[in-house]
Amino acid sequence: MDKPVIVTVDDDPGVSRAVARDLRRRYGQEYRVVRAETARDGIDAVREMRLRGDEVAAILADYRMPQMNGVQFLEAAMDMYPYARRVLLTAYADTDAAIQAINVVDLDHYLLKPWDPPEEKFYPVIDGQLDAWLRTDRVERTELRVVGDRWSAPSYKVRDFLARNHVPYQWMLAEDPEGAQLVKAAGEGCHLPLVVTADGTTLESPDQATLATAVGLSTTPATDFYDLIVVGGGPAGLGAAVYGASEGLNTVLVEAYSSGGQAGQSSRIENYLGFPDGVSGQQLADRARRQALKFGAELLTARKVTSLEPRGQARVIGFKDGGEIAAHAVILATGVTYRRLEAPGLDEFVGRGVFYGAALTEAPACKDTEVFIVGAANSAGQAAVYLSGFASKVHLLVRSDGLEKSMSHYLIEQIAAIPNIEVHVETQVVGGSGDGHLERLTLSTKGEERPVDAQWLFVFIGAQPYTEWLGETIERDARGFVLTGPDLVQGGRRPRNWPLRREPYFLETNVPGVLAAGDVRAESIKRVASAVGEGAMAVALVHRYLEKQ
């Protein structure tokens, strides 16, 4: 770890150098001494250190300075470093001011100039202050800090992006003491959410690509041509990346948001082979991501694909923010997203009480409150079980007359055994309202409406594929799912350019060299295990395709 800092500020160059010299002589092995000759330079240095995450043990400031006196300086510095010991350097004529400063800024000590010899008049004072600082219970920081508002959609998006990309961070509210210190250090007019990196770089309300780059996620392709491009980082895409790279293909996976897809949002997957005690979606996605990297796959994050075009033997994808890459083959594994609830008033509260998916970052904030979940499939059931460990009560709202048709038996049994989960059948959300965040829902049960107080609504309904960007290039069904294999030739729609002597394999699309795997594929089984299997199988078919080129 970096050495803690002792800051000294004095506008007299001779005195400033003398203070720094004596401090370095005695404490230079264990502390870093930072010297400033103006109050403004001192404030700038303290602000920079606060953003960088340095620890400041003590601040020594001269009382008589032209821009601001020492008391004012210590008061400003205290906002950013409340635990730092504060020492005022004064002349005999300023002792009254020093005594007054004890009450104004909770001054720890005032030191009379000159202090020769330092062994008798200087070091014993500083020894005591540093010892007191070391005994202070200070909270250790994490590398990345995020400051925002509780009911802020942009703040939620930043936290969700970091969590789902397995980037550790410390979250703090802007009104909390430490959060307020960082906002103050960032300067006037700071736009929340504020992200402060380990080296002190500040990002105000950053977009996804900027944030990804700042936290070390790869966003730029290493080359412009690959053997295989995998579009989408869910289970199917990660499976394809692992098998493609492990079998020697120069593979790149492109993900618009985070690895894991819908499965990555699952609080616990208990029916996946090889995990008898269950595994969270984030853990499974992180292991798969690290496995793909181990075999040499390249992973691009926060890059949205908006076009796919065959050009001779190459398959070219274009990005929303410009640029393109090409490959011999492409695997489409873009998965699906949850459909929006068509209820008046809910759209304005997305990220402010209304969440699509598990939103695991919000679970601790649900403690001792009532939570509402919409959905009847496994993802909704897993979320209900997980959130029941935080919320006082979980209301599972089911449009049908039961869970048996859409949820695994083991989950139904778990839900029945948890006393603070209540299942409401034939119930829908028909409205929402609130002031700045969700506060009320209107529920309809068998046509009878009733209002309920609610701050938390998690939605797990339906599946909407992300395929509009494919245009006319790739055949899709009426709902937008990609048609593959035998489904392509039903009704006489034989894929363009496929040899007439055979039908395409079940993962191949109408464009040779382009395959689809996982939830985005029409008629696929919507399970994590089957998606991973399809990703692996797609790589085998890529090899067959390449052998014939």
Side-chain angles (χ1 to χ4, degrees):
M1 293 182 63
D2 292 337
K3 295 178 182 179
V5 181
I6 300 174
V7 178
T8 172
V9 184
D10 197 305
D11 67 315
D12 185 323
V15 175
S16 178
R17 287 191 293 270
V19 174
R21 179 201 62 212
D22 288 347
L23 287 172
R24 291 191 180 105
R25 182 183 300 165
R26 175 76 169 236
Y27 307 106
Q29 293 295 322
E30 298 177 350
Y31 294 86
R32 181 161 57 94
V33 177
V34 173
R35 179 175 70 89
E37 293 185 1
T38 70
R40 179 52 54 198
D41 289 345
I43 287 296
D44 290 343
V46 170
R47 179 179 290 117
E48 182 179 342
M49 287 184 283
R50 186 67 185 86
L51 293 173
R52 194 167 55 234
D54 294 338
E55 287 194 290
V56 172
I59 303 174
L60 288 69
D62 181 46
Y63 177 68
R64 291 181 179 270
M65 292 189 292
Q67 295 172 321
M68 61 174 71
N69 65 40
V71 175
Q72 294 169 328
F73 177 87
L74 291 172
E75 190 173 15
M78 188 172 67
D79 290 337
M80 291 177 276
Y81 280 104
Y83 297 114
R85 306 300 290 183
R86 295 172 289 280
V87 177
L88 191 69
L89 303 177
T90 69
Y92 282 105
D94 298 323
T95 53
D96 289 341
I99 294 172
Q100 183 182 5
I102 293 176
N103 299 321
V104 174
V105 295
D106 193 22
L107 188 69
D108 295 305
H109 197 89
Y110 68 91
L111 186 64
L112 296 176
K113 300 185 292 184
W115 52 81
D116 289 330
E119 288 76 12
E120 295 180 12
K121 299 182 179 180
F122 187 63
Y123 294 145
V125 172
I126 305 303
D127 285 345
Q129 297 306 315
L130 295 178
D131 181 63
W133 179 79
L134 289 170
R135 288 186 282 105
T136 302
D137 184 18
R138 303 181 308 279
V139 178
E140 294 293 330
R141 67 176 180 87
T142 56
E143 283 197 351
L144 194 73
R145 290 157 290 171
V146 180
V147 186
D149 295 320
R150 178 67 199 89
W151 298 111
S152 162
S155 294
Y156 163 70
K157 288 179 180 178
V158 165
R159 294 160 55 212
D160 187 62
F161 178 81
L162 294 173
R164 290 176 61 184
N165 281 287
H166 317 285
V167 179
Y169 68 93
Q170 181 184 358
W171 160 249
M172 55 193 75
L173 297 175
E175 60 265 27
D176 290 343
E178 189 173 359
Q181 294 163 22
L182 290 174
V183 172
K184 183 178 180 65
E188 295 183 5
C190 175
H191 296 286
L192 300 179
L194 171 68
V195 178
V196 185
T197 65
D199 63 0
T201 300
T202 59
L203 307 174
E204 297 182 20
S205 193
D207 60 42
Q208 191 171 294
T210 301
L211 182 59
T213 302
V215 299
L217 298 175
S218 179
T219 60
T220 304
T223 184
D224 57 4
F225 197 91
Y226 297 83
D227 293 325
L228 173 63
I229 297 172
V230 181
V231 184
L238 288 168
V242 168
Y243 282 92
S246 66
E247 294 178 12
L249 296 178
N250 184 13
T251 302
V252 60
L253 183 150
V254 182
E255 168 55 44
Y257 193 73
S258 66
S259 58
Q262 274 193 342
Q265 300 182 64
S266 178
S267 56
R268 183 144 301 267
I269 303 169
E270 298 190 71
N271 59 352
Y272 190 73
L273 185 67
F275 293 90
D277 298 321
V279 60
S280 76
Q282 285 190 351
Q283 289 173 326
L284 189 63
D286 185 49
R287 292 180 182 185
R289 180 186 61 82
R290 288 188 283 114
Q291 195 172 16
L293 291 171
K294 167 190 170 183
F295 287 120
E298 186 179 338
L299 271 60
L300 302 182
T301 306
R303 296 301 298 272
K304 191 170 185 177
V305 178
T306 55
S307 65
L308 170 61
E309 178 186 351
R311 295 182 192 168
Q313 296 300 313
R315 304 292 175 259
V316 182
I317 66 167
F319 297 114
K320 180 180 179 180
D321 55 357
E324 61 184 29
I325 55 176
H328 294 298
V330 173
I331 295 177
L332 303 175
T334 50
V336 296
T337 58
Y338 293 112
R339 287 194 293 106
R340 291 294 181 101
L341 266 180
E342 300 295 333
L346 291 185
D347 281 350
E348 63 180 287
F349 299 124
V350 174
R352 297 185 293 161
V354 177
F355 304 94
Y356 288 87
L360 301 182
T361 56
E362 302 302 298
C366 297
K367 186 174 178 60
D368 299 328
T369 64
E370 295 196 15
V371 168
F372 293 80
I373 296 174
V374 178
N378 280 6
S379 53
Q382 290 159 352
V385 172
Y386 179 71
L387 290 171
S388 68
F390 298 88
S392 59
K393 191 164 188 176
V394 175
H395 300 272
L396 185 58
L397 312 179
V398 181
R399 186 173 58 178
S400 64
D401 58 1
L403 298 171
E404 290 73 17
K405 296 179 182 178
S406 54
M407 189 177 292
S408 296
H409 179 68
Y410 80 92
L411 266 177
I412 296 175
E413 287 187 328
Q414 283 187 25
I415 289 171
I418 298 175
N420 64 331
I421 298 180
E422 183 178 352
V423 180
H424 304 263
V425 298
E426 299 184 52
T427 300
Q428 301 181 63
V429 176
V430 295
S433 61
D435 183 10
H437 63 91
L438 181 67
E439 294 178 315
R440 289 169 296 279
L441 290 173
T442 301
L443 306 182
S444 175
T445 302
K446 298 180 181 180
E448 184 175 331
E449 295 186 2
R450 70 183 191 278
V452 295
D453 292 333
Q455 289 187 322
W456 305 99
L457 177 67
F458 298 89
V459 182
F460 302 83
I461 59 171
Q464 183 174 332
Y466 171 57
T467 56
E468 297 91 345
W469 61 277
L470 292 169
E472 300 298 322
T473 305
I474 301 297
E475 294 281 355
R476 290 166 286 154
D477 67 12
R479 296 184 298 163
F481 289 91
V482 175
L483 293 170
T484 60
D487 293 329
L488 280 167
V489 296
Q490 292 178 2
R493 294 184 301 172
R494 183 171 292 277
R496 297 187 298 272
N497 302 323
W498 275 110
L500 296 178
R501 64 181 180 271
R502 72 169 181 87
E503 291 183 357
Y505 292 104
F506 81 107
L507 297 180
E508 293 173 327
T509 71
N510 59 293
V511 176
V514 179
L515 301 94
D519 290 358
V520 74
R521 191 178 66 82
E523 306 303 324
S524 66
I525 298 172
K526 305 300 188 276
R527 287 288 186 270
V528 175
S530 62
V532 173
E534 288 191 7
M537 177 60 76
V539 171
L541 298 180
V542 166
H543 278 292
R544 291 189 184 185
Y545 170 76
L546 294 178
E547 288 170 359
K548 296 177 181 179
Q549 299 309 302

